[in-house]
Amino acid sequence: MKIIRSIALGLYAFWVFLVFSSSMLFFLPGLVIPFLLGKKFSWIGYSFLWIWSWVFSMLTFIRYDFYGQENFRKGQAYIYVSNHTSFLDLPGIRMIIPGEFRPLAKKELLKIPVFGWIARGATVIVDRSSGESRKKSMDKLKRILLDGLSILLFAEGTQNRTKELLQPFKEGAFRIAIDTQQPILPMVVVGAGPLMPPGTIRMKPGRIRIYVAPEIPTVGLTHEDLPTLRQQTFDVMKGMIEKAIAEKK
């Protein structure tokens, strides 16, 4: 039985890889060209990213359930703060967020065939080993936010490979929120890690839940409030994960 299961999961992983690569190539013009044409056309690229995410979900039998969509306020630029447990977080996050936004992405994504081209246009790239690169990326995210576009940061800085619900949060998202006085919108992804653990190509189909909390205002906050804001966001997100786990039992 274990052998049959291993073979089935191996075939499924190959199918997911085939869907990922072939659909990326199929939608490639819509995923790349709009970003090359400038800001006026970038929304088209993000529309194609939504379509690709939906197609990927349907063809791989990985379904996303969304909660808290009423917490998005139309016309408001947010600092979206999310946890990160798997590559499978990304399609669901794209589908739940309305309109376009700019995620912070590590430079290693540029090495992924095809996907790297898309990441170059659709995200803000950072070299985490370079202090200068981190500063430039933070400054760029602030400009994007002040131009009226939302941004997305994974608060833990990387995929969570521990048994803890959340790793300690980095300061970046909260420093940007205070500097721009724009609200934080916390969200959590639950169930992606077991379907595709970080750092592996092992996969299985299933359901992933994404929860969005009410926004956390930052108007009037100063850098002295940064630790409190970070802890408040951490507590909100941890509480959402704990509640989601309890509801499933």
Side-chain angles (χ1 to χ4, degrees):
M1 194 68 181
K2 288 183 178 180
I3 295 176
I4 295 175
R5 177 179 170 81
S6 296
I7 292 172
L9 290 176
L11 291 172
Y12 174 73
F14 176 76
W15 169 248
V16 173
F17 172 77
L18 187 64
V19 169
F20 176 84
S21 55
S22 60
S23 60
M24 278 283 178
L25 287 171
F26 181 79
F27 290 114
L28 190 60
L31 293 170
V32 174
I33 294 175
F35 296 110
L36 297 177
L37 296 177
K39 295 179 181 179
K40 290 184 178 180
F41 300 94
S42 60
W43 66 271
I44 300 175
Y46 267 85
S47 297
F48 272 94
L49 278 172
W50 190 97
I51 295 169
W52 174 83
S53 298
W54 184 84
V55 169
F56 177 82
S57 171
M58 292 298 104
L59 293 181
T60 58
F61 309 102
I62 296 170
R63 300 294 185 260
Y64 294 89
D65 298 321
F66 302 128
Y67 305 88
Q69 289 170 288
E70 68 278 3
N71 291 316
F72 292 106
R73 187 152 46 99
K74 189 175 182 180
Q76 174 64 55
Y78 287 111
I79 298 99
Y80 297 117
V81 176
S82 176
N83 63 330
H84 193 17
T85 60
S86 169
F87 165 80
L88 297 178
D89 298 343
L90 305 178
I93 287 175
R94 174 60 203 104
M95 284 193 286
I96 195 174
I97 293 178
E100 61 176 310
F101 58 98
R102 293 293 184 274
L104 182 67
K106 58 185 181 180
K107 71 169 187 176
E108 287 78 8
L109 293 180
L110 299 177
K111 298 177 182 179
I112 301 176
V114 182
F115 186 77
W117 302 341
I118 299 165
R120 190 179 298 277
T123 71
V124 175
I125 299 295
V126 60
D127 178 356
R128 293 179 297 181
S129 66
S130 167
E132 182 180 357
S133 176
R134 292 197 301 271
K135 184 179 184 305
K136 285 183 178 179
S137 64
M138 292 296 110
D139 289 342
K140 186 172 182 179
L141 288 171
K142 289 178 188 177
R143 291 195 299 271
I144 290 169
L145 196 59
L146 293 174
D147 283 342
L149 276 183
S150 296
I151 61 174
L152 166 69
L153 291 97
F154 294 111
E156 299 157 287
T158 186
Q159 290 186 6
N160 186 355
R161 300 168 188 264
T162 73
K163 294 182 179 180
E164 300 295 327
L165 296 181
L166 291 171
Q167 297 182 89
F169 284 1
K170 305 295 185 183
E171 287 189 355
F174 311 102
R175 192 172 295 278
I176 290 174
I178 289 172
D179 287 345
T180 60
Q181 298 287 283
Q182 297 298 317
I184 288 173
L185 199 67
M187 60 177 62
V188 296
V189 183
V190 180
L195 301 186
M196 185 180 181
T200 73
I201 58 172
R202 299 196 312 273
M203 298 186 67
K204 59 183 178 180
R207 303 198 78 89
I208 297 170
R209 293 171 288 165
I210 301 182
Y211 297 82
V212 180
E215 65 185 65
I216 298 175
T218 61
V219 174
L221 298 186
T222 68
H223 284 179
E224 292 182 357
D225 300 303
L226 194 153
T228 302
L229 178 63
R230 179 172 57 180
Q231 188 63 47
Q232 180 184 2
T233 307
F234 183 95
D235 291 342
V236 167
M237 292 172 62
K238 185 178 180 182
M240 284 197 292
I241 297 173
E242 290 173 338
K243 183 179 179 181
I245 293 173
E247 287 176 348
K248 194 173 182 180
K249 290 181 179 179

